[in-house]
Amino acid sequence: MNNVPTAVPLDQKHFAERWNARPDSTEKAYGLQQYPTDELHWPGLLHGRILRSAWPHAHILHIDLSQARSLPGVRAVVCAEDIPGTNSYGIIFRDQPVFCTDRVRFLGDAIAAVAADSPEIAAHALTLIKVVYEPLPNIGDSQQALASAAPRLHPDGNLLDSSRLGHGDIDAGFAQCSYIVDRRYSTPRQMHVFMETEGGVAIPEQDGSLTFRVGCQSGHRDRDQLADILGLPQHKVRVIGLSTGGGFGGKDELTMQPAAGLLALKTGRPVRIHYDRQESTRAGIKRHPIQMFARTGCDAEGRLIAHQLHAVLDTGAYASLGPAVLTNFSDHAAAPLYRIPHVEVQGQLVYTNNSVAGAFRGFGGNQATFAVESQLDKLALAAGLSPAELRRRNLRTPDDDGVEGQSQQMPCHPNTLLNAAIASPLWQINPADAEHGRWLSGVGMALGAQGNGLGNGLPDSGGASLRLTKQGHIQLAFGFIEYGQGVVAAVQALACEALGCSAEDLDIRLGDSDGPDSGPTSASRSTVIATEALRRLRDDWQQQLIQLGKSLLGDHRALCTGAGGLWYDEPKGKRAISYQALASGVKDLSLPALKIHFDFPTGPDAQPKGRYLQLLIATVARVRVDRFTGSVKVSHLHHIAAGGKVIHPPSYRGQIEGAAVMGMGMALLEDVPMHNGEYQLDNLDAYLIPTLADAPAQQVDVIETIVAGDQYPVRGIGELGIEAISPALMAAIQDATGIRPCDLPARPAALLAAMTAAEENLP
Amino acid sequence: MSTENTTPNMQLNFTLNGQLLNMRVGPARRLLDILRLDQGLTGPKEGCSIGRCGACTIQLDGAAVPACLLLAYQVQGKEVITVEGLRSKPAFQRVADSLIEHGALQCGYCIPGIATSLTAALTQRPNASEGELEQAMHGNLCRCTGYSGLQQVIKDLATPAPNN
Amino acid sequence: MTIAVTDRTQTHILFPQSAFEAVALAVRHQAPYIAGATALQLSWNKTANWPTQAVALSGLSELIGCKRLASSWQLGALTSLAELANNSALAEYMPLLSQAAVSVGAAGVRQLGTLAGNIGFAGDLMPSLLVLDTQVLWIDQHGRSQQQPLTQWLEAPQPQGLITALQIPVPLAGSITRMEKLASRSAFNPPLLNVASLQCWQEGQLQKLRLAIGGNAIQPSLLPISPHSLPLQDSRRVLNSALRATLDSILPLGCAQRDYLISAGAKLLCDQLSPNLS
């Protein structure tokens, strides 16, 4: 098969057959959808609150719960000594205490929790908990953390991890360059701002077990940790990851579950905890703020010779997924889309007394891409080439190995995206805009890549179960959790195709730790796992159903699965037996029930590096900059995405558009500034995310065809849209104003100052 | 009038989703808590508690207002409608169906607020232009969609400007 | 055990039947006024300190509404920002005020916010009100009706005084009014800086000029300028410099983003003035 990949608009016209509303549309549009924090109906429900540290860094000398415990309406107050099991959690290292004992390391650290009859009593009880602290010197940033005299935040010091990757000889490389550019870059401490904050209910069951109905991203992994914390065997803990209002990585770690579980065990009653936005800001996970220094060089013909990037990541008080973010950041920092003979990336992951940084859509990759793409534009300028031409001369091909010699599966040649980006109608600026009125128009572009799966040879597996129920439903279960990304729509579409049934035949179960473990709902891996699971199950499934059908019908004519039941091969159009009849016809035989579990595809390498399955995106951005105020308005975005086959077009498009605006927020608006471990804001009045007034018009084109031999035509596109947006916006700002911001968010104040200085020809 | 040593409460009478309610309640109790905790109506959601996100939007005498900022006494004698009370109304259905058609929702948490705001705007101004509808929606935040679907819904439901 | 008065469950709301009764209650109980209470309740939450009593103004319908008098507008203090934004007569005759009202918050909070509340919090409307020579009608703590220029009210605000209305003279024919809000995001955020201007041109001469600023962290005030004190006949560059110097003299030294506010503020004001210069 030799398809020339073409970019097709992702709209109803071009994808008419696959275009339908996601299965949960009606519930959500009509306000019928129940969320984890809507579960207020449980009999005997208690309201829980968590007490957070009053200091960014301190010893705890004494905790007195007695006054809080004797407040009428308070049913339990718990702290570290009430924890039956391990007092710690964390996906990679369990270094974060459930409740602090002798030391607090950031303002979000939990000290104790209360359960009370009403939210007001719970809030009041918190004020009655007496904690005596001995403040310690704060570590407010990475530099302070690495200083020799800095207090050690953890036993092994403040450097949690470091990375080093590349190839060649970087100094020799630079010696050969005709042009070299270097620059500092920084990206902010962004906050997820899922509209539904962390929350849910812990329900004690009659048999001594505990059920959690919560917003989370990995029910099985959470179940394992909760069992350890609460001193229960795993089979006595059940986590039901309900359809929740946003994740983006911020619900990857445990949040309120340990406190709620402990309170539920203590009181014997269901306990609800719902962080308000201030608590979510204080205690929730953030994106790693990163300081970078990059140096990149090319020869006289614009061929890249050497690229060096050093970075420091502020991981905050505890490890969370910091080491994994560092790894992914480093992979992207090595400019993997380009052939560069000499590359050196060094990263440091540093503890501070700031907010814990962890998983956030893009996972370090988009911050690195911002620096890399910005470097290339700067170099192009120095070398007298257009940004597109510099890229064209240096793009790697799908056959090339990765930066560390690893195998990678690109969906297509990056040239295809480059060409599509160059051909974007956004470059045709309206002559009226080009006049020097108040607003300056500019257009810019950038390329990005995103991988699927946890990568780097880490254990990464998933599974599913598939059975015919007594009522004749096809029950398909995954451990994934729906948090808006559309996994429920993708699974439905994939199942209909693989199993040959219709949507009405399906009973899709997601997010139950009593069901199959599909691994975490993160790293853009769900669609890949779902596709692969169904691929492996389909033949067995069809065989079992057909055999059952034949024996019930008592005839040997060929059958196939279809909508509503089994159909005859000949004559076409005649249904042989419905799924209901199949199910009820089974007497002594057991109903078909299958399970599968397998490893995430990581390619042929014995030691995989980075992520094997790759996706590509090009983003073209048009902006208008206000000459008087430095304000930036993003008017248009045009994305060309190569992410394999489109499973559910509205979800694919929605994920690219949503990720792009999230990236736009990081680029222009969002930051949680901290000073000496203290937050400078706590809510959405000062932490500004884009509103409808800021939203650009967006166009998404897709390339579905994949290179010959690629066995994974379906990829996960959840993070792809955030990859190239930041550098594309900065390139557009540069086109409009001549100024290239290198510190995100690029604030109007800094832009105006730079524009004014340039006008006045100041050095 | 001595107000010491008594927990304040008032006789509150208001119409909720078409039903006349009478209750004794603290005058400064948030309407959002009356709706969600006391009345079991979880359509309006809590996203920020300071009136900045729009997730708690309800209709007060026909106008879209954040319930987290309304104090009980402020709804005395008024009509409150939540998404639960709007579901059966054609004006709301038109909005909800447009949201579905244009794929304008993902996690859906912002949607009761968005649908309530849009319905109020269209009910108050049936011939609202795109610009007027957009302005009505600046207080409804969405984190999942980037607002593209909502832009299409507004185009769909607005009255086009008359040709010059 | 009694719960200390820290949260809203302990706050008594008082319901006066008239503006005068409202003042009497506020004085007797040392209680704050609440109208929409959008900003007040949030600051009480932040300090975990709700008052024992608060005087509710929302029942006082005589304080709501916009009236056109012979040569002025009278705006009831409890007129909602939504009403101000949607009032078509106001939009036609006092577009500055309409525009300023629309710049506040978003549609939902504008339903709750009031004119008086906005003044109390030195909000977005202030610079526009200042350039329009607004008069404040209020009742003092002794129950006496008072009237004074808004500029004077700002200098010595009376916490127990109750604003009942604003009176704004209709701008003279030939007046050009403009305002602009400088903020971090396109919509629904606190102002870094609001700038407003009123220019009255007669027979090619600038007879009257008012410039005013305000912001989230900036006390609203009229700029100390006059038609003669600004170099309006010179180039934009020179005018810009003069405006920068004026802003520099007004803005408090410690205010956040000071350089930016001076730079952008001067450009915005220059733009508001210069299209009308020869």
Side-chain angles (χ1 to χ4, degrees), chain A residues 186-188 190 287 365-371 373-374 377 444-447 617 619 621 623 634 637 639 659-668 720-734 740-746:
Chain A
S186 69
T187 58
Q190 190 182 20
R287 187 186 287 285
N366 57 312
Q367 296 103 303
T369 303
F370 160 62
E373 292 288 300
S374 296
D377 285 353
M445 59 152 264
L447 299 179
I617 190 164
T619 296
V623 305
V634 183
L637 294 176
H639 311 279
V661 170
M662 199 170 237
M664 183 181 95
M666 184 184 106
L668 297 176
L720 185 60
I722 208 169
E723 277 308 309
I725 176 85
S726 304
L729 287 174
M730 298 307 124
I733 290 173
Q734 176 160 34
R740 180 98 189 198
C742 294
D743 296 304
L744 302 184

Side-chain angles (χ1 to χ4, degrees), chain A residues 71-72 120 124 438 626-631 633 669 682 685 688-691 693-694 748-749 752 756 759-760, chain C residues 1 3-4 6-7 9 46 178 180 182-190 236-237 257 260 263-264 267-268 271:
Chain A
L71 182 67
E120 290 83 14
H124 189 69
R438 175 163 167 179
D626 184 343
R627 284 174 48 230
F628 296 158
T629 66
S631 300
K633 173 94 180 92
L669 274 176
D682 68 357
D685 52 346
L688 303 176
I689 68 167
T691 68
D694 306 290
L752 186 66
T756 308
E759 267 171 38
E760 293 167 13
Chain C
M1 171 189 289
I3 299 178
T6 56
D7 67 33
T9 60
K46 259 202 148 72
R178 284 187 59 179
E180 191 154 349
L182 179 69
S184 306
R185 181 174 72 178
S186 308
F188 202 9
N189 59 154
R236 275 192 190 211
R237 203 183 183 92
Q257 300 197 74
Y260 175 52
S263 181
K267 286 183 200 272
L268 290 175
D271 180 63

Side-chain angles (χ1 to χ4, degrees), chain B residues 1 3-4 6-8 10 27-30 49-53 60 63-66 68-71 73-74 124-125 135-136 138-139 141, chain C residues 8-15 28-29 34-38 41-42 50 53 56 58 86 102 106-112 185 187-189:
Chain B
M1 186 202 317
T3 51
E4 282 80 43
T6 57
T7 301
M10 65 178 291
R29 186 165 177 70
R30 295 187 316 169
S49 320
I50 58 170
R52 298 296 194 167
C53 74
L60 183 66
V65 176
C68 70
L69 291 181
L70 277 168
L71 305 179
Y73 82 89
Q74 291 173 329
Q124 288 178 324
R125 269 208 194 131
Q135 197 170 81
H138 287 169
L141 298 182
Chain C
R8 62 177 72 228
T9 60
Q10 303 306 306
T11 302
H12 293 267
I13 308 287
L14 309 172
F15 299 102
R28 181 170 351 131
H29 296 281
I34 49 174
T38 51
Q41 62 173 296
L42 299 183
W50 280 68
Q53 286 106 347
S58 34
N86 296 330
V102 170
V109 293
R110 286 199 288 272
Q111 292 288 337
L112 302 176
R185 181 174 72 178
F188 202 9
N189 59 154

Side-chain angles (χ1 to χ4, degrees), chain C residues 57-271:
Chain C
L57 302 175
S58 34
L60 303 176
S61 51
E62 74 264 31
L63 301 187
I64 299 173
C66 306
K67 264 190 319 219
R68 171 66 194 263
L69 305 176
S71 57
S72 66
W73 282 84
Q74 192 152 303
L75 309 178
L78 294 184
T79 307
S80 74
L81 299 176
E83 163 66 26
L84 285 180
N86 296 330
N87 188 313
S88 46
L90 208 60
E92 193 182 332
Y93 295 102
M94 297 260 268
L96 185 65
L97 213 48
S98 261
Q99 198 191 346
V102 170
S103 78
V104 181
V109 293
R110 286 199 288 272
Q111 292 288 337
L112 302 176
T114 63
L115 203 41
N118 202 263
I119 293 171
F121 274 86
D124 281 306
L125 298 180
M126 293 301 284
S128 299
L129 291 172
L130 284 170
V131 303
L132 288 169
D133 292 341
T134 301
Q135 298 270 321
V136 179
L137 278 62
W138 57 291
I139 302 171
D140 72 14
Q141 55 181 335
H142 306 293
R144 294 182 303 229
S145 297
Q146 303 274 10
Q147 178 166 339
Q148 66 182 165
L150 179 58
T151 42
Q152 265 183 42
W153 170 273
L154 283 176
E155 278 162 28
Q158 308 283 311
Q160 262 138 26
L162 176 65
I163 300 179
T164 55
L166 298 185
Q167 195 148 302
I168 306 179
V170 175
L172 299 169
S175 294
I176 299 161
T177 56
R178 284 187 59 179
M179 64 84 55
E180 191 154 349
K181 175 173 175 170
L182 179 69
S184 306
R185 181 174 72 178
S186 308
F188 202 9
N189 59 154
L192 293 173
L193 188 71
N194 279 308
V195 299
S197 61
L198 181 148
Q199 311 161 52
C200 198
W201 292 82
Q202 269 156 16
E203 286 148 22
Q205 290 282 82
L206 185 60
Q207 301 293 355
K208 181 171 162 187
L209 178 65
R210 300 262 191 276
L211 301 180
I213 63 167
N216 203 28
I218 299 178
Q219 181 71 352
S221 60
L222 283 166
L223 295 187
I225 48 89
S226 72
H228 314 290
S229 72
L230 279 181
L232 298 169
Q233 305 308 318
D234 274 316
S235 67
R236 275 192 190 211
R237 203 183 183 92
V238 172
L239 178 57
N240 195 325
S241 286
L243 287 164
R244 286 182 62 104
T246 309
L247 290 171
D248 194 9
S249 71
I250 287 253
L251 290 177
L253 282 173
C255 89
Q257 300 197 74
R258 193 173 192 275
D259 291 343
Y260 175 52
L261 298 186
I262 291 173
S263 181
K267 286 183 200 272
L268 290 175
L269 284 168
C270 193
D271 180 63

Side-chain angles (χ1 to χ4, degrees), chain A residues 237-321:
Chain A
V237 178
R238 182 178 182 191
V239 177
I240 300 175
L242 296 169
S243 189
T244 183
F248 315 116
K251 294 173 181 168
D252 223 354
E253 295 275 6
L254 289 174
T255 61
M256 41 55 72
Q257 301 92 319
L262 196 54
L263 289 167
L265 286 178
K266 268 270 155 151
T267 59
R269 290 167 64 170
V271 175
R272 170 185 192 263
I273 294 182
H274 182 190
Y275 290 5
D276 62 22
R277 188 63 64 179
Q278 278 109 317
E279 186 169 14
S280 183
T281 304
R282 188 180 183 127
I285 299 283
K286 307 290 183 295
R287 187 186 287 285
H288 282 81
I290 306 181
Q291 304 278 330
M292 295 171 267
F293 174 79
R295 172 171 288 166
T296 316
C298 65
D299 66 15
E301 279 77 49
R303 281 185 295 257
L304 294 169
I305 306 287
H307 170 70
Q308 182 183 54
L309 200 151
H310 292 177
V312 183
L313 289 70
D314 179 347
T315 209
Y318 300 101
S320 185
L321 280 160

Side-chain angles (χ1 to χ4, degrees), chain A residues 331 404 406-408 455-457 605 607-612:
Chain A
D331 289 345
E404 297 181 277
Q406 75 270 37
S407 305
Q408 285 192 306
N456 301 289
D605 299 346
Q607 317 269 40
K609 293 236 196 273
R611 298 171 184 192
Y612 175 66

